[in-house]
Amino acid sequence: MFPLELFEIMLIGVLGIGSQWIAWRYRLPAIVVMSITGLLVGPIFGIINPEEGFGDLYSPIISVAVAIILFEGSLNLNFKELRDISKPIFRISTLGAFIAWILGSLTAHYIAGLSWAVSFVIGGLFIVTGPTVIMPLLRQAKLNPRPAKILKWEGIIVDPFGALLAVFAFKVIEFLTGVIPDITHLLLFFAASVFAVVLGWAFGRGLGWMFEEGHVPEFLKSPVVVVVVIFCFTIADIVMHETGLLSVTAMGITLANMGISSISDMRHFKENITVLLTSTIFIMLTASLERETLLQIFSPNIIGYVVLMMIVVRPLSIFLSTIGTGLSLNEKTLVGWIAPRGIVALTVSSYFATILLNAGYQDAEILTALTFALVIFTVVAHGFSIGWLAKKLGLSSQGHPGALLIGSNKFTVELSKSLMKADIPVIIVDSNWESLSLARKEGVSFYYGDMLSEQTEHILDTIPYDYILTITDDSAYNSLVCTTFVPEYGRTNVFKISPYTEYGNGYSSGVVSKVGGRILFDKKFNLDDLLEKLDDGYVFRQTTLTEQFSYEQYVAEKDDSTVFLYLIKPSGQLKFYSEEMRTVPSTGDKIISLTPPTKEKEKIQAKIESIRDINQN
């Protein structure tokens, strides 16, 4: 008999990663696509029900996945980022969270019709946003650094606090209603929370020390991290439910700020794991919903609650908590609107629904429907609006996707000038001040520093730039930069100038194709060749393809020494030439090439003759 559990695991994985690919391909919010996919295969068509299929393992799988996702997010929380945003981050995470809790609880009572006890529990839980929903939106919208950092830090820090606040509210309710006779349980709750933080810090310090002292080999570092995260989460959660999230967050922040040399490798590995976990967990959660839950979502009290949470509670909590923090009105507006709820809200609310029902609060039956309504409405609304709103408020990169050029020389400066003429953001990065003199003279944007240094990572705003082009005279450095940024930018967006000293010799093609990014333009032309062409009078020329002048005709007429550089599609999409480029230019495309001076002279002469003919007629 065919094992149905195996089929469910396979289908969940395929649907999760397939949803991510569709979202990438058509530039849609990934969490929206995943949620819709889960609903289709779950409650709508009834193909799978992971909660029934996995049985008792369902909740532990979700909990461990959330712990790993939250830990991976906290690895990005370096305190050096807080130079100019520490005040708003602190205010939003404390005062803002408290205001959101109170206002959210009042809304749940008066609008959703919940009892005071259930309202304060769910009000505490719904202050969370979380990395599973915030990170994909930040990658999609290309926000300016300050609002992006605020949303990232808030999402990761407040995530465990939301769950703890819900636990705290429930403990207070038990004390006030006499279920707990004394205040001992409340004190134990605070002690367990402190223990979770200390435990996470201790595991983080211990793991960091072992890595730095060489007690863990390179090939075991990432597996060891995953196992330790699960161990840390489990120990804290056994002591007090929901403190495990706090523990793994503390562990991640500790590791992120220890300056461990191999932390970037672990981060890349865990980013890949997180994408897989996020995809599968969203499919599992949405596919496990009941049809009755979906129908409940459209009841007036739930819709009214969700709308007020989005347009009143969230903006008000942000505006009140950030008074005097230096945030502009536009930044407050954006941060006040963006607050999508995700996996933590869904998983923890189902836990409290059971606890509250067992305690006699029958109105807790609608918690699952209420939570999913808030999740799906915020995910869809914020997912589709963040890019548009950020551009309207001037808080995201505008125009075409940009290019970041590593290495300052005559060719990169001329290439930058041609990109600037096409209204494409461009910047040159070099650690040699003298080499940057030409860029400064020609008015090209530049950054003085090493692209691989930690200081550059925290100072240089790389959001406007979709492509990295390494064009220095050091082939090893070019490959190193490409290898470093391939996980972040993708292999198709990272290029290096040809390392060949002459065509067919030098580096072996097998090594070149595997180390670093793709070879830029053509392997026949290294940096010396391009600089030599510029010295010989070669010019940057733009050619627009038309129905009368096709790409085939253009290739046939071009000089053999012409170097194809890049093309711009009518949509504004930028594509750099390389031997691995599969795009065939079509009508409307603009091709920029490095052309021999004879071609340019012929073009000028043709224009002169054309003008002469017109004057004669």
Side-chain angles (χ1 to χ4, degrees):
M1 185 176 178
F2 185 81
L4 293 178
E5 293 84 0
L6 181 60
F7 172 77
E8 284 198 8
I9 293 173
M10 176 276 297
L11 187 60
I12 289 169
V14 170
L15 292 175
I17 299 303
S19 298
Q20 290 275 9
W21 183 86
I22 290 173
W24 165 80
R25 180 67 179 80
Y26 297 101
R27 298 186 178 183
L28 298 171
I31 44 183
V32 174
V33 179
M34 290 185 290
S35 298
I36 294 173
T37 303
L39 291 176
L40 289 175
V41 299
I44 294 179
F45 293 115
I47 298 174
I48 59 173
N49 187 329
E51 187 171 10
E52 291 183 0
F54 292 112
D56 293 338
L57 288 177
Y58 177 79
S59 293
I61 290 173
I62 300 290
S63 297
V64 168
V66 172
I68 294 174
I69 291 168
L70 198 56
F71 170 76
E72 189 277 326
S74 63
L75 277 180
N76 297 301
L77 300 184
N78 194 304
F79 290 135
K80 292 181 180 179
E81 290 185 356
L82 296 177
R83 288 189 182 95
D84 59 339
I85 60 170
S86 57
K87 196 171 183 180
I89 287 289
F90 178 76
R91 289 275 198 88
I92 291 172
S93 302
T94 52
L95 179 60
F98 178 77
I99 294 173
W101 177 33
I102 299 300
L103 293 179
S105 301
L106 293 173
T107 305
H109 178 70
Y110 288 108
I111 303 300
L114 298 176
S115 62
W116 281 115
V118 177
S119 296
F120 272 96
V121 171
I122 207 68
L125 175 61
F126 285 165
I127 68 171
V128 304
T129 52
T132 58
V133 284
I134 283 294
M135 295 303 189
L137 292 188
L138 296 182
R139 286 193 290 266
Q140 165 197 341
K142 292 188 176 181
L143 296 185
N144 288 351
R146 192 154 76 159
K149 290 176 183 177
I150 290 173
L151 288 170
K152 179 182 74 173
W153 275 80
E154 180 205 6
I156 297 170
I157 291 177
V158 176
D159 224 32
F161 288 154
L164 288 177
L165 194 56
V167 174
F168 171 70
F170 183 67
K171 294 293 182 184
V172 170
I173 290 166
E174 287 185 317
F175 174 71
L176 294 177
T177 56
V179 176
I180 298 176
D182 53 48
I183 204 170
T184 305
H185 281 74
L186 284 177
L187 297 176
L188 288 175
F189 165 76
F190 288 112
S193 299
V194 173
F195 170 76
V197 173
V198 173
L199 183 69
W201 173 84
F203 272 107
R205 295 294 298 183
L207 203 58
W209 174 80
M210 290 180 67
F211 285 174
E212 288 296 272
E213 294 297 320
H215 296 303
V216 179
E218 290 296 324
F219 75 95
L220 276 181
K221 284 185 177 179
S222 293
V224 165
V225 168
V226 173
V227 171
V228 172
V229 167
I230 297 173
F231 183 74
C232 180
F233 169 79
T234 303
I235 295 299
D237 223 50
I238 289 174
V239 173
M240 176 71 72
H241 196 62
E242 301 304 335
T243 60
L245 297 180
L246 185 62
S247 186
V248 295
T249 302
M251 178 181 168
I253 294 176
T254 301
L255 280 170
N257 290 275
M258 287 183 64
I260 300 173
S261 57
S262 57
I263 193 70
S264 59
D265 295 332
M266 290 188 293
R267 187 183 293 126
H268 294 323
F269 168 78
K270 298 193 73 59
E271 283 174 354
N272 295 332
I273 293 293
T274 297
V275 170
L276 179 62
L277 291 176
T278 302
S279 307
T280 55
I281 296 308
F282 257 101
I283 298 293
M284 289 175 64
L285 288 171
T286 51
S288 297
L289 293 172
E290 302 293 336
R291 291 184 182 180
E292 292 75 16
T293 302
L294 292 182
L295 294 176
Q296 277 186 305
I297 288 174
F298 299 100
S299 61
N301 59 330
I302 290 182
I303 291 178
Y305 170 79
V306 170
V307 170
L308 284 178
M309 287 289 288
M310 292 172 64
I311 66 175
V312 176
V313 173
R314 169 66 178 185
L316 198 56
S317 66
I318 294 298
F319 273 84
L320 291 177
S321 64
T322 55
I323 294 174
T325 59
L327 290 185
S328 66
L329 179 61
N330 286 357
E331 289 173 328
K332 291 181 180 181
T333 302
L334 180 65
V335 175
W337 169 244
I338 303 301
R341 275 63 169 191
I343 289 176
V344 171
L346 281 172
T347 55
V348 179
S349 69
S350 62
Y351 164 76
F352 276 107
T354 303
I355 295 296
L356 290 166
L357 283 171
N358 292 337
Y361 298 99
Q362 296 305 313
D363 54 330
E365 286 181 340
I366 70 166
L367 284 190
T368 302
L370 189 71
T371 306
F372 185 73
L374 187 62
V375 169
I376 198 66
F377 276 100
T378 55
V379 161
V380 171
H382 299 152
F384 282 107
S385 65
I386 184 171
W388 173 84
L389 182 61
K391 288 181 180 179
K392 287 292 183 182
L393 297 175
L395 297 175
S396 71
S397 56
Q398 303 281 342
H400 303 303
L404 194 154
L405 278 55
I406 312 297
S408 180
N409 49 65
K410 186 177 180 180
F411 175 75
T412 56
V413 169
E414 293 299 322
L415 178 60
S416 298
K417 288 166 62 178
S418 75
L419 290 166
M420 291 165 61
K421 288 180 182 178
D423 195 29
I424 293 172
V426 62
I427 189 171
I428 294 177
V429 177
D430 201 304
S431 58
N432 188 314
W433 183 253
E434 185 177 348
S435 298
L436 287 166
S437 59
L438 184 57
R440 299 197 302 271
K441 180 180 177 182
E442 296 293 337
V444 175
S445 297
F446 66 90
Y447 174 81
Y448 174 50
D450 188 347
M451 191 63 198
L452 296 176
S453 73
E454 186 178 357
Q455 184 179 18
T456 299
E457 180 183 352
H458 295 301
I459 296 177
L460 180 62
D461 177 17
T462 59
I463 291 176
Y465 312 109
D466 289 55
Y467 302 95
I468 288 186
L469 282 62
T470 55
I471 313 177
T472 76
D473 56 4
D474 187 339
S475 297
Y477 180 76
N478 293 341
S479 293
L480 182 59
V481 171
C482 289
T483 302
T484 301
F485 288 96
V486 159
E488 181 177 347
Y489 282 78
R491 180 172 171 78
T492 57
N493 289 6
V494 177
F495 300 86
K496 61 183 176 185
I497 201 67
S498 174
Y500 289 79
T501 53
E502 59 180 274
Y503 185 62
N505 293 318
Y507 290 73
S508 70
S509 58
V511 173
V512 171
S513 64
K514 292 177 175 60
V515 177
R518 300 194 293 176
I519 293 180
L520 190 61
F521 312 139
D522 192 314
K523 66 172 65 175
K524 292 185 294 185
F525 306 113
N526 59 27
L527 180 57
D528 290 337
D529 296 327
L530 296 173
L531 292 174
E532 185 178 341
K533 290 182 183 296
L534 288 178
D535 291 338
D536 291 340
Y538 278 60
V539 295
F540 285 78
R541 181 181 178 185
Q542 177 178 298
T543 304
T544 303
L545 301 180
T546 64
E547 293 183 0
Q548 293 75 28
F549 187 67
S550 65
Y551 181 64
E552 290 75 16
Q553 186 177 353
Y554 170 67
V555 172
E557 293 184 7
K558 76 174 182 65
D559 190 279
D560 291 339
S561 61
T562 297
V563 182
F564 291 122
L565 303 176
Y566 60 92
L567 65 85
I568 303 174
K569 308 290 287 184
S571 62
Q573 185 180 14
L574 174 67
K575 285 188 173 293
F576 287 95
Y577 271 88
S578 77
E579 294 200 346
E580 299 176 43
M581 177 178 169
R582 298 179 180 179
T583 300
V584 178
S586 56
T587 301
D589 292 352
K590 296 178 182 178
I591 299 177
I592 289 76
S593 59
L594 190 60
T595 308
T598 52
K599 274 285 182 183
E600 197 64 22
K601 289 177 182 177
E602 291 174 3
K603 183 179 177 182
I604 295 172
Q605 186 62 36
K607 285 186 177 180
I608 294 174
E609 292 177 359
S610 176
I611 295 172
R612 185 183 300 159
D613 291 341
I614 293 173
N615 292 335
Q616 288 177 353
N617 294 332

